[in-house]
Structures are given as C-alpha cells and as structure tokens.
Amino acid sequence: MERLINIDRRIIFVFIFFGTLVPLLYPTPFPIEPSKEVRSTYEEFERVAKLNDPAVLLSYSYGASTEPEIQPMVVAILRHCFANDIKVVGICLWPEASGLAQPAMEAIAAEYGKTYGEDYAFMGYKPGLQAVIINMGQNFHDAFPKDTRGTPVGEIALTSNINSLTDFDFIFDFASGDSIEYWWIPYGKREVPFAGGCTAVMAPDLYPFLQSGQLKGLLGGLVGAAEYEALIDHPESATAGMSAQSITHLIIIAFILFGNLAYFATRRGA
C-alpha cells in the first residue's frame, strides 16, 4: 500500500500516454447521445435542405490554437450541407481561418463532386470584424467585391444574386473568440436564422442566447462536433477524440480510487 501511495508519477504519465494514443489509432466509439442544442442545429440545416435553391453562409472566426475543437465541426457541417445539396458561401473574420477553412471546403466539396462557383464559393478574409458584418447586411458585393481567386462576386453564379445577409437561408459561425455574442448577434443576425459552434470553454456563456432564441443551435467543443458526427452518421476525428478523452478520464478516476484506497488502508494499519 505504501508503494501505491508513493507511485512514480511517470507511471501515471505512461498510462495517460497509451490511454490517449491507442483510441486515436484504433478508435473504439463510446455511445454518443446528441444534445438538444446540437440536434437543433442539425434540424436547421435539414430545414434549409427542403427549400428551393438553398444557400447558407459559413463564417470562420477561429485559428490554429482552437483547430482541434473547431475543425471537426467545420468538416461535419460541410458534409451535411453538400450531402443535401445546400450551397455554401464561406467568409473569414479571423486572418488565420483562411488557411484552415479553404482546404476543408475544397476537400469536402471534391468528396461530394461539387463545383466551385455553383455549389460553393470562398470569399476569404476581410478585416473589420463588426464593420464587415454591418457591410454585408447592407451590400454583400460591397463587403466582398471578389473571391479568393480574384473573380468578382457578381460574376460567380452562386453569389451573383446574393445582395445582403437576408438572401441567405441560414448563417453559422465557427468561433474561437467572441464573434457570436459581440459581432453576429448584435449586428448581423437580423431575421436570418443563426447558430454557431465554439470551444468548450465558451459554450456556457452562450446558453442565454439559446434560451432567448437568438441562437437556433450550438455546438460546444469537441463533444459538440462528435454529437454532430453521430447525427450525420459519419464518425471521424471528433468521435475518435472523445474516445481518447473518455478513456483517459477513466484512467485518472482509477488512479484516484486506488490512491484513496491505499491511503485509508495505511491509516487503518497504523
């Protein structure tokens, strides 16, 4: 029992290392039950899919530091859109986001055989934060005159008839900062249904907006992405990540239990 109490911490680190590595290499999915807010987001995209010539705006407001949590959401939602023939226009309000979002859009579009300019378009990054959103609400072509390929938006089939934010059927923001509550909700939501995805640490601050109806849905952190993967029946990196997280949590709980049992056993022996 004394040896258990004085166990070398490096042994614990080895258990955590393999508890993380093995599920990532050989995923063993745990049951995932989508939450109400994630299911609401899914249902919004399903609603849009039933419209005539549906189009959504995806706003990328995240960077490399939050890529592990946000990128799986991006991939899952793009898959849902393209699988249901929803047209996607992407913009970036963070400079780092372009290098993460554009490759994802192009890869998933190619996976579903989508054509650039007809099924999706990428406007890239523009500085200005709230000012860009206000500008899009007034004149989308003025806010983004050209896409990242240098083509005027008026010459792109998908964006030629999009004059303002109200021409989109749904808006979704991938956020690692305060873009949802301080940029989109005050300045850009208007009457267009709006939802977002954020890091896990941000999610609790956004629940009041769910209750007020200003947010139609919310994906919070890696678990939100995993729940969305379950809804579209396409488990990937988020599901694997949750498996690794769950197993490492079980390992930590096991060591806590063993440590306490050893402590009380030595107290009894004394």
Side-chain angles (χ1 to χ4, degrees), residues 33 73 154 212 228 258 267:
E33 180 62 34
M73 300 179 193
S212 67
Y228 208 90
F258 285 137
R267 286 285 299 269

Side-chain angles (χ1 to χ4, degrees), residues 122-165:
F122 188 69
M123 302 295 107
Y125 167 70
K126 185 170 184 178
L129 310 179
Q130 299 97 322
V132 178
I133 295 173
I134 294 170
N135 199 358
M136 285 191 292
Q138 297 169 342
N139 190 320
F140 186 83
H141 292 199
D142 183 49
F144 288 94
K146 297 180 180 180
D147 67 358
T148 53
R149 303 184 179 191
T151 307
V153 292
E155 297 177 11
I156 302 172
L158 174 54
T159 56
S160 60
N161 293 322
I162 294 176
N163 298 309
S164 71
L165 290 176

Side-chain angles (χ1 to χ4, degrees), residues 53-55 82 85-89 114-121 156-159:
D53 198 26
F82 290 141
D85 296 323
I86 298 173
K87 297 178 180 180
V88 176
V89 176
K114 299 301 180 181
T115 303
Y116 185 86
E118 296 180 6
D119 302 305
Y120 74 105
I156 302 172
L158 174 54
T159 56

